[in-house]
Amino acid sequence: MINKNSPVPIYYQLEEIIKELIEKGELLPGDALPAEREYAERFQISRMTVRQAFTKLVNDGFLYRVQGKGTFVAERKLEQPLQGLTSFTEDMKKRGMIPGSQLVHFQLIPATKKIAQQLSIPEHGPVYEIKRIRLADDVPMALETNYISANLMKGLTEEIVNQSLYAYMEGKLGLQIDYATQTIESAISSQNEADYLRIKSGGPVLLIERNTFLHDGTPVEYVKSIYRADRYKFMIEMKR
């Protein structure tokens, strides 16, 4: 119920009511919410207040709007801890989801100056470029491009890259992955990226670049990933 005598803003109380319905499973992803007018009449509040609550829930990723159709419950975002180095496949399995990949291309290319610097190899040296759409329960989550030195990672095939690269590196080649450095920034999706991820062109995405190293400090891969900002968020635990 809305308590109009509470110091807590009415729009915030309505947000909490809707979030509780989502968390209890009474509102499921894809469900349409009643119109703003219905909420206003039900709680005897203004439509402007309802719109304010809806807008905040849209911005926070709980709801989304479709022009001319209404407001709907969004898929919940996957929370990715920033501690620990795991593969996408490992992350999805931990969540009880089925990981998958759709290979866009797999080719041998000469390293550009930037890629050569990232991998500590000579410019124009042979590099595998692997572009994949990463899936969770058949839903696109990220567009990932890996660059790996062909002299370091011998015997790579399409069949292998359709599985887990980390499993192949460690299990088959005996390479000991030790640590990685990673940057995360906000970006706007291109038309090409949007098509792969099934989102609107110009929609918000997370641009992630990662360098992964072996125990002796040798760079083993450089990865550029475009994650759906509507389905992914990152979490870090900080201690004083």
Side-chain angles (χ1 to χ4, degrees):
M1 296 295 294
I2 297 289
N3 182 356
K4 295 181 181 178
N5 296 319
S6 170
V8 178
I10 292 174
Y11 79 88
Y12 182 81
Q13 293 183 54
L14 181 56
E15 278 183 58
E16 293 301 303
I17 289 170
I18 294 172
K19 282 197 282 189
E20 186 175 356
L21 292 173
I22 293 172
E23 287 162 3
K24 286 181 176 179
E26 294 179 37
L27 284 174
L28 299 173
D31 283 354
L33 267 70
E36 293 176 2
R37 174 181 51 78
E38 292 185 43
Y39 273 107
E41 291 175 355
R42 181 188 307 175
F43 294 108
Q44 294 298 296
I45 57 180
S46 72
R47 289 182 63 176
M48 184 66 73
T49 300
V50 177
R51 187 172 299 120
Q52 188 175 4
F54 277 21
T55 298
K56 183 67 165 56
L57 289 167
V58 168
N59 292 338
D60 290 346
F62 287 92
L63 305 177
Y64 67 95
R65 290 189 174 105
V66 178
Q67 190 171 0
K69 294 186 177 179
T71 306
F72 300 83
V73 179
E75 294 281 353
R76 295 303 302 275
K77 291 187 178 184
L78 297 179
E79 187 174 272
Q80 171 64 44
L82 288 175
Q83 301 98 328
L85 176 57
T86 57
S87 69
F88 180 89
T89 299
E90 292 166 339
D91 289 339
M92 294 306 107
K93 285 182 176 178
K94 284 180 182 177
R95 292 185 172 88
M97 304 178 81
I98 300 173
S101 288
Q102 183 180 333
L103 187 62
V104 177
H105 71 240
F106 168 60
Q107 57 189 358
L108 198 61
I109 64 168
T112 63
K113 184 176 181 179
K114 179 180 179 179
I115 293 170
Q117 289 174 340
Q118 299 291 341
L119 295 176
S120 296
I121 61 174
E123 190 174 352
H124 308 305
V127 168
Y128 290 115
E129 182 182 62
I130 306 159
K131 187 183 290 288
R132 297 176 291 176
I133 302 169
R134 308 314 303 268
L135 309 166
D137 290 343
D138 290 326
V139 177
M141 292 291 172
L143 178 63
E144 181 181 273
T145 307
N146 299 65
Y147 297 96
I148 300 171
S149 170
N151 292 325
L152 179 65
M153 184 83 67
K154 298 181 186 292
L156 208 54
T157 65
E158 282 195 20
E159 183 180 357
I160 292 167
V161 301
N162 277 318
Q163 306 300 318
S164 172
L165 280 174
Y166 279 18
Y168 179 72
M169 290 180 194
E170 296 178 317
K172 298 296 183 181
L173 298 182
L175 299 174
Q176 185 179 337
I177 299 170
D178 189 30
Y179 68 98
T181 60
Q182 183 166 278
T183 62
I184 304 172
E185 59 184 298
S186 61
I188 299 299
S189 63
S190 67
Q191 183 63 63
N192 190 45
E193 293 163 348
D195 289 343
Y196 284 128
L197 296 175
R198 302 180 205 165
I199 60 175
K200 277 186 178 181
S201 177
V205 292
L206 298 169
L207 170 60
I208 301 171
E209 294 190 54
R210 184 173 74 207
N211 295 81
T212 308
F213 300 86
L214 301 178
H215 70 287
D216 62 358
T218 301
V220 68
E221 69 171 347
Y222 165 59
V223 187
K224 180 180 177 182
S225 300
I226 305 293
Y227 275 81
R228 288 178 55 167
D230 65 331
R231 294 303 311 275
Y232 235 82
K233 63 180 177 179
F234 289 83
M235 179 274 292
I236 185 168
E237 180 180 329
M238 296 181 288
K239 293 184 179 179
R240 186 174 173 84

